[in-house]
Amino acid sequence: MRPTPPRLVVAVVAVAAFAFSAASAAGPLNWVREKLGGKPEAPKAGVVTAQPGAITLLLDQPTRLPVDATAPEAELPRGRSYFRRVELSKPVDEALIEVRVIAQDSDTTKHRTVFKPLFYLLDDEGNVRETVAVDPLKIDIRPFQPTALVGCVKVSKLNRFLVATTDKDVGKSYESRSRSSVNAPSKGGFYYSTDAVNVKLPYAATGELVLTVSAPSAKRCEPTTAEAGKDGKKDGKDKTAETQRAAAT
């Protein structure tokens, strides 16, 4: 075997030193993270469907979120509910949560039903620090799209939260104000028209919604005045055993 020329050894060492110094300049932890797990995932085009279990949500990524009988159930500060646990890919000081509740066919009534959402914001210990209701929700009826209720709310210090409802609302209904007739163009140049309508959608214990968390300056929708409050004891934390178990699930 022929010995490696000294000049070649010096060149290899110089290239390795340059690569190491460049990685160090970018931050050794970032360099290791990218080598092991790749770069952070970017939002995909369109709506993605969340997998069962706890959800890691990307900013600006619309995510379809079923809340059905396979989801965990617990006694939460505003009442018993099925819920889904959501955690952001990185915490934010301020955020806009947009929600689109999709109307579902019902097996028991002639009306389609909707899920009335509550957001339980969690602290670092997994306790409920604030309860936020999106109120009012507005009706969205367009041809070739499912009927939906839409709304959004601004929140602060968002990292992880529960999406739930309350059993106190199940059996009540969303009723829209009487809407005037509509005559407008759709995408593709077609025109559509509707008669004046008054919609009634019963609230159900389960349902489906699309969540989008974005920067508070996003123009996705006009934030509504949300009902927010502290739940639990005087320090604002709910410390019931079942609630803690629910938040940790």
Side-chain angles (χ1 to χ4, degrees):
M1 180 181 295
R2 296 178 59 186
T4 304
R7 291 182 180 178
L8 181 58
V9 172
V10 172
V12 170
V13 171
V15 171
F18 176 79
F20 179 77
S21 62
S24 299
L29 294 180
N30 292 339
W31 182 80
V32 171
R33 186 181 299 112
E34 288 186 8
K35 289 297 181 184
L36 294 178
K39 293 184 178 180
E41 187 179 357
K44 297 179 175 63
V47 179
V48 301
T49 300
Q51 298 299 315
I55 303 154
T56 299
L57 198 66
L58 297 175
L59 294 178
D60 300 315
Q61 176 67 77
T63 302
R64 186 179 298 274
L65 193 73
V67 185
D68 54 26
T70 65
E73 185 181 9
E75 190 70 39
L76 297 168
R78 295 284 180 91
R80 193 164 189 84
S81 174
Y82 295 106
F83 68 91
R84 297 293 301 271
R85 189 178 190 276
V86 178
E87 182 166 353
L88 299 185
S89 56
K90 60 179 181 179
V92 291
D93 291 332
E94 290 185 308
L96 180 72
I97 304 177
E98 178 190 2
V99 59
R100 171 175 288 271
V101 182
I102 310 299
Q104 304 286 302
D105 290 328
S106 173
D107 295 331
T108 58
T109 69
K110 63 179 181 180
H111 296 286
R112 307 195 80 191
T113 63
V114 288
F115 185 83
K116 186 178 182 181
L118 282 174
F119 300 134
Y120 291 105
L121 309 188
L122 307 178
D123 62 18
D124 293 337
E125 298 175 354
N127 299 309
V128 177
R129 66 173 175 84
E130 189 175 358
T131 304
V132 177
V134 185
D135 187 19
L137 289 164
K138 298 179 181 179
I139 190 77
D140 183 5
I141 302 177
R142 283 179 282 177
F144 315 117
Q145 292 192 21
T147 298
L149 303 181
V150 296
C152 58
V153 63
K154 286 184 178 181
V155 298
S156 60
K157 299 187 182 304
L158 186 64
N159 185 10
R160 55 183 67 90
F161 59 99
L162 305 182
V163 179
T165 188
T166 171
D167 53 2
K168 299 182 179 78
D169 284 326
V170 175
K172 299 178 182 178
S173 297
Y174 171 89
E175 292 193 50
S176 68
R177 297 177 181 176
S178 181
R179 194 190 71 180
S180 302
S181 59
V182 175
N183 186 358
S186 61
K187 292 181 176 179
F190 296 100
Y191 279 78
Y192 68 93
S193 62
T194 65
D195 296 328
V197 64
N198 185 15
V199 178
K200 182 176 181 179
L201 296 168
Y203 293 126
T206 59
E208 185 174 63
L209 45 89
V210 176
L211 282 185
T212 308
V213 177
S214 53
S217 59
K219 301 297 183 182
R220 295 181 183 277
C221 63
E222 187 66 26
T224 59
T225 301
E227 176 191 356
K230 301 291 185 181
D231 292 292
K233 297 187 178 181
K234 293 182 180 179
D235 61 357
K237 296 179 180 178
D238 181 271
K239 297 183 180 297
T240 63
E242 190 165 7
T243 300
Q244 290 183 345
R245 286 197 299 271
T249 302

